[in-house]
Amino acid sequence: GQNIDQPTEMTATEGAIVQINCTYQTSGFNGLFWYQQHAGEAPTFLSYNVLDGLEEKGRFSSFLSRSKGYSYLLLKELQMKDSASYLCAVREGGNNRKLIWGLGTSLAVNP
Amino acid sequence: ETGVTQTPRHLVMGMTNKKSLKCEQHLGHNAMYWYKQSAKKPLELMFVYNFKEQTENNSVPSRFSPECPNSSHLFLHLHTLQPEDSALYLCASSPSRQGPSYEQYFGPGTRLTVT
């Protein structure tokens, strides 16, 4: 079956580094997305991985290992505004616009 | 410029009411989506439209009726809803080209409460 697992909640300190993990089991794989969603707001795109390795974009980086069905989102120099839910989503097929979504990880950044 | 807009932002309706949710995108995309987001559940895809044609109906009950008059507008017509339909309804859009990394752009959502 299809399954995406993420931790439900995480807590970190302002200025620190946090890693949010995502493991997936899907019938196919054609890319993994990370989205950020602040409470009461729309999810916004953060990163996309389709090949193994690390993609860096400013304070945020995302890693993918297809053989392990594993990804992580790394947030550096945490700021209070990074407190949000982080959603992992997998696209199964090339022509398939359907994304399989995780439950999201609620990150609280404390001063 | 706000890429994807949704109205209303909040809606309270009785089980016998009929209402409609509206979504508009200003990004030149041709694919549009309706999602349902409930507490403690993953985002649930409801419908997908590509160039105004419905390409996916994810076993959604008939009390939800989508309409896509053009590539910029998407509606979700609601009638005889149940309390369990209370949720955040999100609209999204994306390019239709077969690019591998096209992400979906989301609207702010309509918070629906069915009483």
Side-chain angles (χ1 to χ4, degrees):
Chain A
Q2 302 166 333
N3 195 43
I4 297 188
D5 285 318
Q6 306 178 233
T8 304
E9 295 178 341
M10 298 184 71
T11 304
T13 304
E14 196 174 12
I17 299 173
V18 71
Q19 178 175 311
I20 303 175
N21 296 325
C22 171
T23 57
Y24 62 89
Q25 293 174 312
T26 54
S27 56
F29 180 83
N30 196 39
L32 185 144
F33 295 81
W34 283 97
Y35 280 79
Q36 178 192 62
Q37 185 177 23
H38 286 99
E41 297 183 14
T44 55
F45 170 76
L46 288 178
S47 69
Y48 170 80
N49 295 72
V50 67
L51 300 176
D52 291 350
L54 189 68
E55 295 282 342
E56 297 187 77
K57 191 185 292 186
R59 293 189 299 115
F60 293 4
S61 303
S62 57
F63 172 83
L64 175 68
S65 169
R66 289 171 295 171
S67 62
K68 295 181 180 178
Y70 167 69
S71 172
Y72 67 72
L73 181 69
L74 192 70
L75 291 74
K76 303 176 186 176
E77 301 170 15
L78 280 172
Q79 302 175 10
M80 299 295 289
K81 67 178 182 180
D82 297 329
S83 294
S85 183
Y86 291 86
L87 308 173
C88 174
V90 171
R91 183 167 64 233
E92 289 188 301
N95 294 329
N96 189 349
R97 293 175 178 79
K98 184 175 180 178
L99 298 178
I100 310 301
W101 294 82
L103 276 168
T105 299
S106 179
L107 174 67
V109 179
N110 298 319
Chain B
E1 178 193 356
T2 304
V4 183
T5 58
Q6 290 186 244
T7 53
R9 293 294 308 275
H10 300 273
L11 178 62
V12 179
M13 60 186 288
M15 292 168 61
T16 58
N17 292 157
K18 290 184 180 180
K19 296 288 184 182
S20 296
L21 310 184
K22 179 183 176 181
C23 174
E24 184 173 0
Q25 58 94 3
H26 308 274
L27 300 169
H29 294 162
N30 286 302
M32 296 188 77
Y33 312 74
W34 277 118
Y35 284 92
K36 177 183 179 182
Q37 188 173 36
S38 306
K40 303 191 186 303
K41 287 187 175 181
L43 272 172
E44 300 174 53
L45 180 66
M46 300 175 72
F47 303 102
V48 181
Y49 277 83
N50 190 37
F51 289 99
K52 304 187 297 179
E53 298 297 321
Q54 188 180 122
T55 57
E56 181 130 6
N57 177 337
N58 210 27
S59 302
V60 180
S62 60
R63 57 185 184 270
F64 295 91
S65 174
E67 179 189 0
C68 188
N70 54 61
S71 293
S72 298
H73 294 86
L74 186 64
F75 295 88
L76 188 63
H77 303 302
L78 316 171
H79 64 97
T80 59
L81 293 191
Q82 304 298 312
E84 60 265 29
D85 296 324
S86 298
L88 181 68
Y89 288 84
L90 291 163
C91 173
S93 71
S94 71
S96 270
R97 63 182 184 274
Q98 299 296 313
S101 64
Y102 53 80
E103 67 265 28
Q104 296 176 16
Y105 294 78
F106 285 83
T110 296
R111 173 67 64 185
L112 173 67
T113 303
V114 181
T115 60

